[in-house]
Amino acid sequence: MDTSRASVKEFQLDAVVIDGKQPALIGATVEDVFGNEDGHQIRYKTLSWQFVALLMIAEVVSNGMLSLPSALAVVGIVPAVILIVFLGLFALFTAKLLIDFKLNHPEVHNMGDAGKILFGPVGREILSLGTILFAICACGSELSSGQQALSTLSNQGLCTMYLLLIFAVATFLCAIPRTLSHLSNLALVGAFLILAAGVVGMAGAGASPVPDRVINATISTTFYEAFLAITNPVFAYAGHSRFFMFVSEMRRPQDAMKAAWCLQGFATIFYVLFAVVIYVYIGNTVQSPAFFSLPPKWAKAAFGIALGNFLISGSLCTHTAAKLLMIRFFRHSRHVHSHTFLGWFTWILLCFGAVGIAFVLAIAVPVFSYLIGIVAALFASWYTYGVAGFFWLHDTYYLEGGRKALSRKWAGTVIAVLTVLLGAFICVAGTFVSIKLIVEAYADGLVGHPFTC
């Protein structure tokens, strides 16, 4: 299923007719997102694959890992570990399809651009909106994790709303740099911090194991409870919606797969190790986030180290939402590449708006944690898994010979279709589970009130 092409700044596709139709893509001149940057004040295509890997790790391997041990408490060690490994390999496979699509279409900067190629203007708007919503909700999730860390460190010494506001301001300030290269050094710190926090968390669990803990290799459960646990590892890998942006700012987009290997290899190994160690020492009473199950001093140490990663990951999510709109407004204009007042004013306003909306959602929506699940089910399930199948089907059809190419590569076609169907299943089942959680939370009186401490 290899459809990779050498990435170029501009190229001309041959005009061909497939099944009596000439797609808009064929015969068109395609230009790289940022074009020729020689002599520009702001240059984007400066990232090496190593720093792209760090950006991916800092963003993807963040607070998502803290919910994994609780998945083992629901389905048992063996099914959960198999699932985490499978999803890691599957995410690597879909990353390959996504990167190949980007190399074939250098004008693609985000999921919205890809949606336009696949499904036309409607697809562009839906996938763009989904990317923005998911990025803002992910930012809100990082803000909530930051608030939890600050509350733990301060022994709940300050109103949670104020702590959330403090962390939101810090996230906004970190998101202001216009290019990912200016965030790459922070990504190095963020990747190290989340690794260190996980190690400290495992050490804390090992130093203070729960007496008479219950550990299960497998656990019989209902579909609802099982899929509820499955959503934790499914969405722990949810980061593909930003991959197009990362690859667009690489010096050599052809090296993007090296970064994907680093991300998925590190994430899969670290997820399995962290989830199993925490679960083995704490047992079925493990909480989510897992650091809440540690003794106070260990919880403070782990949260204190992870705090920096939550900040950096939140700023990357903010950057994603702002960058999509910035490029949408000013693509190929001087406001993208020059220090103009309008360009900087728009950028700062977009970053402020993204963090502001995330803050309001986190503090004003009592069911925000469940809302994140719905948005992730609706969009992340497609971005990380399902839509990759469409990428392969599209490029095989339009670039390699139409229906004959799909028939000739029948194995790839079957896998691509199954990828789409799996994404659809995760979307539907994940949305159902999230909505049912909200209903149960209201029925059990577990829903709080907005703007309270």
Side-chain angles (χ1 to χ4, degrees), residues 95-127:
K96 176 67 166 61
L97 301 188
L98 185 151
I99 290 169
D100 286 348
F101 188 81
K102 166 63 179 176
L103 296 179
N104 289 338
H105 307 274
E107 77 278 16
V108 170
H109 174 257
N110 52 66
M111 280 291 176
D113 292 340
K116 183 178 180 181
I117 293 174
L118 293 178
F119 310 116
V122 174
R124 180 187 191 185
E125 302 307 328
I126 292 176
L127 293 188

Side-chain angles (χ1 to χ4, degrees), residues 203-215:
S208 304
V210 174
D212 302 321
R213 58 193 177 278
V214 177
I215 303 171

